[in-house]
Amino acid sequence: MTSLERPAPAELVERINRLRHRRRAYIIAHNYQVPEVQDIADFVGDSLTMARAAAKAEAEVVLVCGVHFMAETAKLLNPDRTVLEPDPHAGCPMADMITPKELAEAKSRHPDAAVVAYVNSSADVKAMTDVCCTSANAVAVVQSIPPERPILFVPDESLGEYVAEKTGRRNIILWPGFCPTHHRILAEHIEARRSQRPDAEVLVHPECTREVRHMADFVGSTSQIIRRVAESPRRAFIIATELGVCHTIRKQNPTKTILQVSRLADCPNMKLNTLEKVLWSLEDLVHPVTVPEDTASAARQAIERMLAIS
Ligand code: 13P
Ligand code: SF4
């Protein structure tokens, strides 16, 4: 290989494997990562199981392949360890749809409300909230709050609306944030897939619009969707979330038919991480995640309250 050639994936994987042992690194990846990054990870999961894996990590270095809020959550739970992200530009646009200033203003308009923040938010926002939630446990988190207490749910309006439907609570104040990737999934995409396989089970992430959620046979987090396909007696499935989850689903269910809802369901931020960047991360210990301790202690409490609930 000349220095200008891109290393073959096998060579990259070998170099990553040598370094991860030398660095005593633990690699955590989200279900939306490109297949080759999922395949080299020690743990692959949804935001909730990634946070739990991060909390249990005993390695010196925790490398988080996902988007920034996931690496930040891992850092909050591992303040004394080196937590790295392969690409510091891999953000989540939904997390940027609420700033601490905007949340402070909303809190002053609703002083009695408990603030529930989806983990897709910054550490600064988490530090101003009572409890965090993920798509896997948002219903349980909301149910843990006394029914008479209003809830300010930020920043995902679709998830908040789903939780309100599931719990029957009318006192949830929703924030107008959304996931651009999930909102590109339309009812007509599901209809088109259904006309291909009318027997298919429709699995939908709660970040999708109400119209799409209401077409679902099952609504859940990415890991809950993966588990549902493995456990369901049906033979065909329409997967209405980011297309990265189809990698694990197809690996685990080689005889089932897995239909991605639409090629548009592709999160460009999640796809910024590559094997090359994983290798550079381990070589140069970049890019370390830092959270100022005053923010971190309050944000950590909001995450730990969530982990204690479910
Ligand atoms: P999950 O927690 O369901 O994996 O979702 C994270 C996310 O960013 C969905 O867009
Ligand atoms: Fe954020 Fe949506 Fe990408 Fe998830 S899929 S990281 S919510 S932009």
Side-chain angles (χ1 to χ4, degrees), residues 201-227:
E201 188 166 326
V202 179
L203 311 181
V204 173
H205 195 278
E207 288 177 13
C208 288
T209 62
R210 184 191 315 153
E211 193 184 11
V212 169
R213 283 197 321 273
H214 286 182
M215 297 172 85
D217 296 304
F218 178 89
V219 177
S221 76
T222 53
S223 290
Q224 289 168 340
I225 287 175
I226 291 169
R227 198 174 329 122

mmCIF file with all atom_site columns, all heavy atoms in Angstrom, residues 201-227:
data_model
loop_
_atom_site.group_PDB
_atom_site.id
_atom_site.type_symbol
_atom_site.label_atom_id
_atom_site.label_alt_id
_atom_site.label_comp_id
_atom_site.label_asym_id
_atom_site.label_entity_id
_atom_site.label_seq_id
_atom_site.pdbx_PDB_ins_code
_atom_site.Cartn_x
_atom_site.Cartn_y
_atom_site.Cartn_z
_atom_site.occupancy
_atom_site.B_iso_or_equiv
_atom_site.pdbx_formal_charge
_atom_site.auth_seq_id
_atom_site.auth_comp_id
_atom_site.auth_asym_id
_atom_site.auth_atom_id
_atom_site.pdbx_PDB_model_num
ATOM 1   N N   . GLU A 1 201 ? -45.375 -6.571 9.274  1.00 0.00 ? 201 GLU A N   1
ATOM 2   C CA  . GLU A 1 201 ? -45.590 -5.827 10.521 1.00 0.00 ? 201 GLU A CA  1
ATOM 3   C C   . GLU A 1 201 ? -44.879 -4.468 10.380 1.00 0.00 ? 201 GLU A C   1
ATOM 4   O O   . GLU A 1 201 ? -43.755 -4.407 9.880  1.00 0.00 ? 201 GLU A O   1
ATOM 5   C CB  . GLU A 1 201 ? -44.993 -6.633 11.686 1.00 0.00 ? 201 GLU A CB  1
ATOM 6   C CG  . GLU A 1 201 ? -45.304 -6.072 13.049 1.00 0.00 ? 201 GLU A CG  1
ATOM 7   C CD  . GLU A 1 201 ? -44.990 -7.087 14.166 1.00 0.00 ? 201 GLU A CD  1
ATOM 8   O OE1 . GLU A 1 201 ? -45.157 -8.316 13.962 1.00 0.00 ? 201 GLU A OE1 1
ATOM 9   O OE2 . GLU A 1 201 ? -44.586 -6.625 15.238 1.00 0.00 ? 201 GLU A OE2 1
ATOM 10  N N   . VAL A 1 202 ? -45.566 -3.412 10.837 1.00 0.00 ? 202 VAL A N   1
ATOM 11  C CA  . VAL A 1 202 ? -44.999 -2.059 10.693 1.00 0.00 ? 202 VAL A CA  1
ATOM 12  C C   . VAL A 1 202 ? -44.420 -1.615 12.037 1.00 0.00 ? 202 VAL A C   1
ATOM 13  O O   . VAL A 1 202 ? -45.141 -1.507 13.030 1.00 0.00 ? 202 VAL A O   1
ATOM 14  C CB  . VAL A 1 202 ? -46.091 -1.066 10.224 1.00 0.00 ? 202 VAL A CB  1
ATOM 15  C CG1 . VAL A 1 202 ? -45.520 0.345  10.098 1.00 0.00 ? 202 VAL A CG1 1
ATOM 16  C CG2 . VAL A 1 202 ? -46.696 -1.515 8.900  1.00 0.00 ? 202 VAL A CG2 1
ATOM 17  N N   . LEU A 1 203 ? -43.116 -1.357 12.050 1.00 0.00 ? 203 LEU A N   1
ATOM 18  C CA  . LEU A 1 203 ? -42.422 -0.988 13.291 1.00 0.00 ? 203 LEU A CA  1
ATOM 19  C C   . LEU A 1 203 ? -41.938 0.461  13.154 1.00 0.00 ? 203 LEU A C   1
ATOM 20  O O   . LEU A 1 203 ? -41.248 0.794  12.187 1.00 0.00 ? 203 LEU A O   1
ATOM 21  C CB  . LEU A 1 203 ? -41.232 -1.908 13.534 1.00 0.00 ? 203 LEU A CB  1
ATOM 22  C CG  . LEU A 1 203 ? -41.506 -3.411 13.426 1.00 0.00 ? 203 LEU A CG  1
ATOM 23  C CD1 . LEU A 1 203 ? -40.257 -4.214 13.701 1.00 0.00 ? 203 LEU A CD1 1
ATOM 24  C CD2 . LEU A 1 203 ? -42.584 -3.819 14.394 1.00 0.00 ? 203 LEU A CD2 1
ATOM 25  N N   . VAL A 1 204 ? -42.316 1.288  14.123 1.00 0.00 ? 204 VAL A N   1
ATOM 26  C CA  . VAL A 1 204 ? -42.105 2.745  13.975 1.00 0.00 ? 204 VAL A CA  1
ATOM 27  C C   . VAL A 1 204 ? -41.397 3.308  15.210 1.00 0.00 ? 204 VAL A C   1
ATOM 28  O O   . VAL A 1 204 ? -41.717 2.944  16.356 1.00 0.00 ? 204 VAL A O   1
ATOM 29  C CB  . VAL A 1 204 ? -43.481 3.444  13.775 1.00 0.00 ? 204 VAL A CB  1
ATOM 30  C CG1 . VAL A 1 204 ? -43.339 4.959  13.793 1.00 0.00 ? 204 VAL A CG1 1
ATOM 31  C CG2 . VAL A 1 204 ? -44.130 2.988  12.466 1.00 0.00 ? 204 VAL A CG2 1
ATOM 32  N N   . HIS A 1 205 ? -40.448 4.210  14.967 1.00 0.00 ? 205 HIS A N   1
ATOM 33  C CA  . HIS A 1 205 ? -39.785 4.910  16.081 1.00 0.00 ? 205 HIS A CA  1
ATOM 34  C C   . HIS A 1 205 ? -40.679 6.062  16.524 1.00 0.00 ? 205 HIS A C   1
ATOM 35  O O   . HIS A 1 205 ? -41.281 6.745  15.674 1.00 0.00 ? 205 HIS A O   1
ATOM 36  C CB  . HIS A 1 205 ? -38.415 5.435  15.617 1.00 0.00 ? 205 HIS A CB  1
ATOM 37  C CG  . HIS A 1 205 ? -37.535 5.832  16.756 1.00 0.00 ? 205 HIS A CG  1
ATOM 38  N ND1 . HIS A 1 205 ? -37.631 7.050  17.377 1.00 0.00 ? 205 HIS A ND1 1
ATOM 39  C CD2 . HIS A 1 205 ? -36.554 5.146  17.403 1.00 0.00 ? 205 HIS A CD2 1
ATOM 40  C CE1 . HIS A 1 205 ? -36.729 7.103  18.356 1.00 0.00 ? 205 HIS A CE1 1
ATOM 41  N NE2 . HIS A 1 205 ? -36.060 5.957  18.389 1.00 0.00 ? 205 HIS A NE2 1
ATOM 42  N N   . PRO A 1 206 ? -40.758 6.346  17.846 1.00 0.00 ? 206 PRO A N   1
ATOM 43  C CA  . PRO A 1 206 ? -41.665 7.420  18.295 1.00 0.00 ? 206 PRO A CA  1
ATOM 44  C C   . PRO A 1 206 ? -41.268 8.827  17.862 1.00 0.00 ? 206 PRO A C   1
ATOM 45  O O   . PRO A 1 206 ? -42.058 9.763  18.061 1.00 0.00 ? 206 PRO A O   1
ATOM 46  C CB  . PRO A 1 206 ? -41.669 7.285  19.827 1.00 0.00 ? 206 PRO A CB  1
ATOM 47  C CG  . PRO A 1 206 ? -40.455 6.495  20.154 1.00 0.00 ? 206 PRO A CG  1
ATOM 48  C CD  . PRO A 1 206 ? -40.158 5.626  18.971 1.00 0.00 ? 206 PRO A CD  1
ATOM 49  N N   . GLU A 1 207 ? -40.090 9.005  17.266 1.00 0.00 ? 207 GLU A N   1
ATOM 50  C CA  . GLU A 1 207 ? -39.747 10.327 16.726 1.00 0.00 ? 207 GLU A CA  1
ATOM 51  C C   . GLU A 1 207 ? -40.484 10.615 15.417 1.00 0.00 ? 207 GLU A C   1
ATOM 52  O O   . GLU A 1 207 ? -40.416 11.733 14.908 1.00 0.00 ? 207 GLU A O   1
ATOM 53  C CB  . GLU A 1 207 ? -38.230 10.425 16.474 1.00 0.00 ? 207 GLU A CB  1
ATOM 54  C CG  . GLU A 1 207 ? -37.418 10.528 17.748 1.00 0.00 ? 207 GLU A CG  1
ATOM 55  C CD  . GLU A 1 207 ? -35.923 10.544 17.492 1.00 0.00 ? 207 GLU A CD  1
ATOM 56  O OE1 . GLU A 1 207 ? -35.503 10.712 16.330 1.00 0.00 ? 207 GLU A OE1 1
ATOM 57  O OE2 . GLU A 1 207 ? -35.167 10.374 18.461 1.00 0.00 ? 207 GLU A OE2 1
ATOM 58  N N   . CYS A 1 208 ? -41.178 9.617  14.867 1.00 0.00 ? 208 CYS A N   1
ATOM 59  C CA  . CYS A 1 208 ? -41.922 9.842  13.615 1.00 0.00 ? 208 CYS A CA  1
ATOM 60  C C   . CYS A 1 208 ? -43.174 10.683 13.897 1.00 0.00 ? 208 CYS A C   1
ATOM 61  O O   . CYS A 1 208 ? -43.633 10.792 15.039 1.00 0.00 ? 208 CYS A O   1
ATOM 62  C CB  . CYS A 1 208 ? -42.346 8.496  13.015 1.00 0.00 ? 208 CYS A CB  1
ATOM 63  S SG  . CYS A 1 208 ? -40.959 7.576  12.332 1.00 0.00 ? 208 CYS A SG  1
ATOM 64  N N   . THR A 1 209 ? -43.745 11.226 12.833 1.00 0.00 ? 209 THR A N   1
ATOM 65  C CA  . THR A 1 209 ? -44.946 12.052 12.970 1.00 0.00 ? 209 THR A CA  1
ATOM 66  C C   . THR A 1 209 ? -46.126 11.209 13.474 1.00 0.00 ? 209 THR A C   1
ATOM 67  O O   . THR A 1 209 ? -46.124 9.982  13.338 1.00 0.00 ? 209 THR A O   1
ATOM 68  C CB  . THR A 1 209 ? -45.360 12.651 11.612 1.00 0.00 ? 209 THR A CB  1
ATOM 69  O OG1 . THR A 1 209 ? -45.665 11.561 10.745 1.00 0.00 ? 209 THR A OG1 1
ATOM 70  C CG2 . THR A 1 209 ? -44.267 13.510 11.009 1.00 0.00 ? 209 THR A CG2 1
ATOM 71  N N   . ARG A 1 210 ? -47.142 11.897 13.982 1.00 0.00 ? 210 ARG A N   1
ATOM 72  C CA  . ARG A 1 210 ? -48.330 11.205 14.501 1.00 0.00 ? 210 ARG A CA  1
ATOM 73  C C   . ARG A 1 210 ? -48.963 10.322 13.423 1.00 0.00 ? 210 ARG A C   1
ATOM 74  O O   . ARG A 1 210 ? -49.349 9.176  13.670 1.00 0.00 ? 210 ARG A O   1
ATOM 75  C CB  . ARG A 1 210 ? -49.347 12.240 14.992 1.00 0.00 ? 210 ARG A CB  1
ATOM 76  C CG  . ARG A 1 210 ? -50.561 11.585 15.633 1.00 0.00 ? 210 ARG A CG  1
ATOM 77  C CD  . ARG A 1 210 ? -51.682 12.575 15.881 1.00 0.00 ? 210 ARG A CD  1
ATOM 78  N NE  . ARG A 1 210 ? -51.161 13.807 16.459 1.00 0.00 ? 210 ARG A NE  1
ATOM 79  C CZ  . ARG A 1 210 ? -51.732 15.005 16.318 1.00 0.00 ? 210 ARG A CZ  1
ATOM 80  N NH1 . ARG A 1 210 ? -52.833 15.139 15.606 1.00 0.00 ? 210 ARG A NH1 1
ATOM 81  N NH2 . ARG A 1 210 ? -51.217 16.078 16.865 1.00 0.00 ? 210 ARG A NH2 1
ATOM 82  N N   . GLU A 1 211 ? -49.055 10.877 12.206 1.00 0.00 ? 211 GLU A N   1
ATOM 83  C CA  . GLU A 1 211 ? -49.683 10.130 11.108 1.00 0.00 ? 211 GLU A CA  1
ATOM 84  C C   . GLU A 1 211 ? -48.958 8.793  10.879 1.00 0.00 ? 211 GLU A C   1
ATOM 85  O O   . GLU A 1 211 ? -49.594 7.747  10.703 1.00 0.00 ? 211 GLU A O   1
ATOM 86  C CB  . GLU A 1 211 ? -49.634 10.988 9.834  1.00 0.00 ? 211 GLU A CB  1
ATOM 87  C CG  . GLU A 1 211 ? -50.517 10.462 8.742  1.00 0.00 ? 211 GLU A CG  1
ATOM 88  C CD  . GLU A 1 211 ? -50.385 11.268 7.456  1.00 0.00 ? 211 GLU A CD  1
ATOM 89  O OE1 . GLU A 1 211 ? -49.478 12.103 7.340  1.00 0.00 ? 211 GLU A OE1 1
ATOM 90  O OE2 . GLU A 1 211 ? -51.206 11.028 6.559  1.00 0.00 ? 211 GLU A OE2 1
ATOM 91  N N   . VAL A 1 212 ? -47.648 8.823  10.916 1.00 0.00 ? 212 VAL A N   1
ATOM 92  C CA  . VAL A 1 212 ? -46.857 7.602  10.705 1.00 0.00 ? 212 VAL A CA  1
ATOM 93  C C   . VAL A 1 212 ? -46.980 6.685  11.924 1.00 0.00 ? 212 VAL A C   1
ATOM 94  O O   . VAL A 1 212 ? -47.190 5.476  11.784 1.00 0.00 ? 212 VAL A O   1
ATOM 95  C CB  . VAL A 1 212 ? -45.384 7.975  10.396 1.00 0.00 ? 212 VAL A CB  1
ATOM 96  C CG1 . VAL A 1 212 ? -44.482 6.751  10.440 1.00 0.00 ? 212 VAL A CG1 1
ATOM 97  C CG2 . VAL A 1 212 ? -45.298 8.650  9.026  1.00 0.00 ? 212 VAL A CG2 1
ATOM 98  N N   . ARG A 1 213 ? -46.894 7.261  13.120 1.00 0.00 ? 213 ARG A N   1
ATOM 99  C CA  . ARG A 1 213 ? -47.017 6.425  14.337 1.00 0.00 ? 213 ARG A CA  1
ATOM 100 C C   . ARG A 1 213 ? -48.345 5.691  14.353 1.00 0.00 ? 213 ARG A C   1
ATOM 101 O O   . ARG A 1 213 ? -48.427 4.539  14.781 1.00 0.00 ? 213 ARG A O   1
ATOM 102 C CB  . ARG A 1 213 ? -46.892 7.288  15.599 1.00 0.00 ? 213 ARG A CB  1
ATOM 103 C CG  . ARG A 1 213 ? -45.498 7.720  15.960 1.00 0.00 ? 213 ARG A CG  1
ATOM 104 C CD  . ARG A 1 213 ? -45.398 8.194  17.403 1.00 0.00 ? 213 ARG A CD  1
ATOM 105 N NE  . ARG A 1 213 ? -46.552 8.958  17.847 1.00 0.00 ? 213 ARG A NE  1
ATOM 106 C CZ  . ARG A 1 213 ? -46.722 10.272 17.713 1.00 0.00 ? 213 ARG A CZ  1
ATOM 107 N NH1 . ARG A 1 213 ? -45.799 10.995 17.107 1.00 0.00 ? 213 ARG A NH1 1
ATOM 108 N NH2 . ARG A 1 213 ? -47.808 10.866 18.171 1.00 0.00 ? 213 ARG A NH2 1
ATOM 109 N N   . HIS A 1 214 ? -49.393 6.369  13.884 1.00 0.00 ? 214 HIS A N   1
ATOM 110 C CA  . HIS A 1 214 ? -50.717 5.740  13.942 1.00 0.00 ? 214 HIS A CA  1
ATOM 111 C C   . HIS A 1 214 ? -50.873 4.604  12.927 1.00 0.00 ? 214 HIS A C   1
ATOM 112 O O   . HIS A 1 214 ? -51.864 3.880  12.962 1.00 0.00 ? 214 HIS A O   1
ATOM 113 C CB  . HIS A 1 214 ? -51.810 6.800  13.778 1.00 0.00 ? 214 HIS A CB  1
ATOM 114 C CG  . HIS A 1 214 ? -51.957 7.633  15.033 1.00 0.00 ? 214 HIS A CG  1
ATOM 115 N ND1 . HIS A 1 214 ? -52.886 8.626  15.175 1.00 0.00 ? 214 HIS A ND1 1
ATOM 116 C CD2 . HIS A 1 214 ? -51.281 7.617  16.216 1.00 0.00 ? 214 HIS A CD2 1
ATOM 117 C CE1 . HIS A 1 214 ? -52.775 9.185  16.366 1.00 0.00 ? 214 HIS A CE1 1
ATOM 118 N NE2 . HIS A 1 214 ? -51.799 8.591  17.018 1.00 0.00 ? 214 HIS A NE2 1
ATOM 119 N N   . MET A 1 215 ? -49.905 4.437  12.054 1.00 0.00 ? 215 MET A N   1
ATOM 120 C CA  . MET A 1 215 ? -49.947 3.312  11.102 1.00 0.00 ? 215 MET A CA  1
ATOM 121 C C   . MET A 1 215 ? -49.183 2.102  11.646 1.00 0.00 ? 215 MET A C   1
ATOM 122 O O   . MET A 1 215 ? -49.099 1.061  10.985 1.00 0.00 ? 215 MET A O   1
ATOM 123 C CB  . MET A 1 215 ? -49.325 3.734  9.759  1.00 0.00 ? 215 MET A CB  1
ATOM 124 C CG  . MET A 1 215 ? -50.094 4.859  9.086  1.00 0.00 ? 215 MET A CG  1
ATOM 125 S SD  . MET A 1 215 ? -49.222 5.465  7.647  1.00 0.00 ? 215 MET A SD  1
ATOM 126 C CE  . MET A 1 215 ? -49.801 4.295  6.415  1.00 0.00 ? 215 MET A CE  1
ATOM 127 N N   . ALA A 1 216 ? -48.612 2.252  12.847 1.00 0.00 ? 216 ALA A N   1
ATOM 128 C CA  . ALA A 1 216 ? -47.702 1.216  13.357 1.00 0.00 ? 216 ALA A CA  1
ATOM 129 C C   . ALA A 1 216 ? -48.430 0.055  14.015 1.00 0.00 ? 216 ALA A C   1
ATOM 130 O O   . ALA A 1 216 ? -49.476 0.223  14.644 1.00 0.00 ? 216 ALA A O   1
ATOM 131 C CB  . ALA A 1 216 ? -46.762 1.847  14.388 1.00 0.00 ? 216 ALA A CB  1
ATOM 132 N N   . ASP A 1 217 ? -47.823 -1.134 13.893 1.00 0.00 ? 217 ASP A N   1
ATOM 133 C CA  . ASP A 1 217 ? -48.234 -2.266 14.730 1.00 0.00 ? 217 ASP A CA  1
ATOM 134 C C   . ASP A 1 217 ? -47.452 -2.231 16.036 1.00 0.00 ? 217 ASP A C   1
ATOM 135 O O   . ASP A 1 217 ? -47.868 -2.784 17.045 1.00 0.00 ? 217 ASP A O   1
ATOM 136 C CB  . ASP A 1 217 ? -47.914 -3.599 14.019 1.00 0.00 ? 217 ASP A CB  1
ATOM 137 C CG  . ASP A 1 217 ? -48.711 -3.744 12.738 1.00 0.00 ? 217 ASP A CG  1
ATOM 138 O OD1 . ASP A 1 217 ? -49.949 -3.665 12.806 1.00 0.00 ? 217 ASP A OD1 1
ATOM 139 O OD2 . ASP A 1 217 ? -48.091 -3.906 11.671 1.00 0.00 ? 217 ASP A OD2 1
ATOM 140 N N   . PHE A 1 218 ? -46.265 -1.610 15.990 1.00 0.00 ? 218 PHE A N   1
ATOM 141 C CA  . PHE A 1 218 ? -45.389 -1.574 17.169 1.00 0.00 ? 218 PHE A CA  1
ATOM 142 C C   . PHE A 1 218 ? -44.614 -0.262 17.133 1.00 0.00 ? 218 PHE A C   1
ATOM 143 O O   . PHE A 1 218 ? -44.091 0.120  16.086 1.00 0.00 ? 218 PHE A O   1
ATOM 144 C CB  . PHE A 1 218 ? -44.414 -2.759 17.112 1.00 0.00 ? 218 PHE A CB  1
ATOM 145 C CG  . PHE A 1 218 ? -43.430 -2.795 18.252 1.00 0.00 ? 218 PHE A CG  1
ATOM 146 C CD1 . PHE A 1 218 ? -43.735 -3.457 19.437 1.00 0.00 ? 218 PHE A CD1 1
ATOM 147 C CD2 . PHE A 1 218 ? -42.187 -2.168 18.145 1.00 0.00 ? 218 PHE A CD2 1
ATOM 148 C CE1 . PHE A 1 218 ? -42.827 -3.486 20.495 1.00 0.00 ? 218 PHE A CE1 1
ATOM 149 C CE2 . PHE A 1 218 ? -41.281 -2.189 19.201 1.00 0.00 ? 218 PHE A CE2 1
ATOM 150 C CZ  . PHE A 1 218 ? -41.606 -2.865 20.370 1.00 0.00 ? 218 PHE A CZ  1
ATOM 151 N N   . VAL A 1 219 ? -44.560 0.416  18.287 1.00 0.00 ? 219 VAL A N   1
ATOM 152 C CA  . VAL A 1 219 ? -43.761 1.655  18.397 1.00 0.00 ? 219 VAL A CA  1
ATOM 153 C C   . VAL A 1 219 ? -42.699 1.415  19.459 1.00 0.00 ? 219 VAL A C   1
ATOM 154 O O   . VAL A 1 219 ? -43.006 0.938  20.563 1.00 0.00 ? 219 VAL A O   1
ATOM 155 C CB  . VAL A 1 219 ? -44.650 2.861  18.806 1.00 0.00 ? 219 VAL A CB  1
ATOM 156 C CG1 . VAL A 1 219 ? -43.799 4.122  18.977 1.00 0.00 ? 219 VAL A CG1 1
ATOM 157 C CG2 . VAL A 1 219 ? -45.738 3.099  17.771 1.00 0.00 ? 219 VAL A CG2 1
ATOM 158 N N   . GLY A 1 220 ? -41.439 1.730  19.160 1.00 0.00 ? 220 GLY A N   1
ATOM 159 C CA  . GLY A 1 220 ? -40.408 1.528  20.182 1.00 0.00 ? 220 GLY A CA  1
ATOM 160 C C   . GLY A 1 220 ? -39.082 2.137  19.789 1.00 0.00 ? 220 GLY A C   1
ATOM 161 O O   . GLY A 1 220 ? -38.900 2.653  18.677 1.00 0.00 ? 220 GLY A O   1
ATOM 162 N N   . SER A 1 221 ? -38.154 2.058  20.740 1.00 0.00 ? 221 SER A N   1
ATOM 163 C CA  . SER A 1 221 ? -36.789 2.551  20.502 1.00 0.00 ? 221 SER A CA  1
ATOM 164 C C   . SER A 1 221 ? -36.115 1.635  19.480 1.00 0.00 ? 221 SER A C   1
ATOM 165 O O   . SER A 1 221 ? -36.647 0.570  19.133 1.00 0.00 ? 221 SER A O   1
ATOM 166 C CB  . SER A 1 221 ? -35.993 2.517  21.807 1.00 0.00 ? 221 SER A CB  1
ATOM 167 O OG  . SER A 1 221 ? -35.610 1.176  22.115 1.00 0.00 ? 221 SER A OG  1
ATOM 168 N N   . THR A 1 222 ? -34.925 2.007  19.051 1.00 0.00 ? 222 THR A N   1
ATOM 169 C CA  . THR A 1 222 ? -34.235 1.190  18.035 1.00 0.00 ? 222 THR A CA  1
ATOM 170 C C   . THR A 1 222 ? -33.992 -0.231 18.548 1.00 0.00 ? 222 THR A C   1
ATOM 171 O O   . THR A 1 222 ? -34.247 -1.203 17.827 1.00 0.00 ? 222 THR A O   1
ATOM 172 C CB  . THR A 1 222 ? -32.906 1.854  17.610 1.00 0.00 ? 222 THR A CB  1
ATOM 173 O OG1 . THR A 1 222 ? -32.120 2.126  18.768 1.00 0.00 ? 222 THR A OG1 1
ATOM 174 C CG2 . THR A 1 222 ? -33.171 3.148  16.867 1.00 0.00 ? 222 THR A CG2 1
ATOM 175 N N   . SER A 1 223 ? -33.535 -0.362 19.797 1.00 0.00 ? 223 SER A N   1
ATOM 176 C CA  . SER A 1 223 ? -33.276 -1.722 20.312 1.00 0.00 ? 223 SER A CA  1
ATOM 177 C C   . SER A 1 223 ? -34.581 -2.483 20.528 1.00 0.00 ? 223 SER A C   1
ATOM 178 O O   . SER A 1 223 ? -34.626 -3.708 20.355 1.00 0.00 ? 223 SER A O   1
ATOM 179 C CB  . SER A 1 223 ? -32.471 -1.674 21.608 1.00 0.00 ? 223 SER A CB  1
ATOM 180 O OG  . SER A 1 223 ? -31.159 -1.245 21.319 1.00 0.00 ? 223 SER A OG  1
ATOM 181 N N   . GLN A 1 224 ? -35.642 -1.780 20.912 1.00 0.00 ? 224 GLN A N   1
ATOM 182 C CA  . GLN A 1 224 ? -36.941 -2.453 21.073 1.00 0.00 ? 224 GLN A CA  1
ATOM 183 C C   . GLN A 1 224 ? -37.459 -2.938 19.713 1.00 0.00 ? 224 GLN A C   1
ATOM 184 O O   . GLN A 1 224 ? -38.061 -4.009 19.618 1.00 0.00 ? 224 GLN A O   1
ATOM 185 C CB  . GLN A 1 224 ? -37.947 -1.513 21.742 1.00 0.00 ? 224 GLN A CB  1
ATOM 186 C CG  . GLN A 1 224 ? -37.622 -1.272 23.220 1.00 0.00 ? 224 GLN A CG  1
ATOM 187 C CD  . GLN A 1 224 ? -38.411 -0.123 23.841 1.00 0.00 ? 224 GLN A CD  1
ATOM 188 O OE1 . GLN A 1 224 ? -38.938 0.745  23.138 1.00 0.00 ? 224 GLN A OE1 1
ATOM 189 N NE2 . GLN A 1 224 ? -38.469 -0.105 25.160 1.00 0.00 ? 224 GLN A NE2 1
ATOM 190 N N   . ILE A 1 225 ? -37.226 -2.162 18.663 1.00 0.00 ? 225 ILE A N   1
ATOM 191 C CA  . ILE A 1 225 ? -37.630 -2.582 17.305 1.00 0.00 ? 225 ILE A CA  1
ATOM 192 C C   . ILE A 1 225 ? -36.833 -3.833 16.894 1.00 0.00 ? 225 ILE A C   1
ATOM 193 O O   . ILE A 1 225 ? -37.387 -4.806 16.379 1.00 0.00 ? 225 ILE A O   1
ATOM 194 C CB  . ILE A 1 225 ? -37.432 -1.421 16.299 1.00 0.00 ? 225 ILE A CB  1
ATOM 195 C CG1 . ILE A 1 225 ? -38.512 -0.351 16.521 1.00 0.00 ? 225 ILE A CG1 1
ATOM 196 C CG2 . ILE A 1 225 ? -37.447 -1.920 14.854 1.00 0.00 ? 225 ILE A CG2 1
ATOM 197 C CD1 . ILE A 1 225 ? -38.360 0.910  15.678 1.00 0.00 ? 225 ILE A CD1 1
ATOM 198 N N   . ILE A 1 226 ? -35.527 -3.812 17.173 1.00 0.00 ? 226 ILE A N   1
ATOM 199 C CA  . ILE A 1 226 ? -34.678 -4.965 16.824 1.00 0.00 ? 226 ILE A CA  1
ATOM 200 C C   . ILE A 1 226 ? -35.188 -6.221 17.550 1.00 0.00 ? 226 ILE A C   1
ATOM 201 O O   . ILE A 1 226 ? -35.334 -7.291 16.966 1.00 0.00 ? 226 ILE A O   1
ATOM 202 C CB  . ILE A 1 226 ? -33.195 -4.663 17.166 1.00 0.00 ? 226 ILE A CB  1
ATOM 203 C CG1 . ILE A 1 226 ? -32.657 -3.586 16.214 1.00 0.00 ? 226 ILE A CG1 1
ATOM 204 C CG2 . ILE A 1 226 ? -32.340 -5.927 17.111 1.00 0.00 ? 226 ILE A CG2 1
ATOM 205 C CD1 . ILE A 1 226 ? -31.305 -2.997 16.593 1.00 0.00 ? 226 ILE A CD1 1
ATOM 206 N N   . ARG A 1 227 ? -35.489 -6.075 18.837 1.00 0.00 ? 227 ARG A N   1
ATOM 207 C CA  . ARG A 1 227 ? -35.966 -7.226 19.626 1.00 0.00 ? 227 ARG A CA  1
ATOM 208 C C   . ARG A 1 227 ? -37.314 -7.716 19.110 1.00 0.00 ? 227 ARG A C   1
ATOM 209 O O   . ARG A 1 227 ? -37.578 -8.903 18.987 1.00 0.00 ? 227 ARG A O   1
ATOM 210 C CB  . ARG A 1 227 ? -36.063 -6.835 21.106 1.00 0.00 ? 227 ARG A CB  1
ATOM 211 C CG  . ARG A 1 227 ? -36.123 -8.054 22.011 1.00 0.00 ? 227 ARG A CG  1
ATOM 212 C CD  . ARG A 1 227 ? -36.067 -7.715 23.502 1.00 0.00 ? 227 ARG A CD  1
ATOM 213 N NE  . ARG A 1 227 ? -35.305 -6.527 23.813 1.00 0.00 ? 227 ARG A NE  1
ATOM 214 C CZ  . ARG A 1 227 ? -35.787 -5.463 24.451 1.00 0.00 ? 227 ARG A CZ  1
ATOM 215 N NH1 . ARG A 1 227 ? -37.029 -5.414 24.856 1.00 0.00 ? 227 ARG A NH1 1
ATOM 216 N NH2 . ARG A 1 227 ? -35.021 -4.419 24.692 1.00 0.00 ? 227 ARG A NH2 1
#
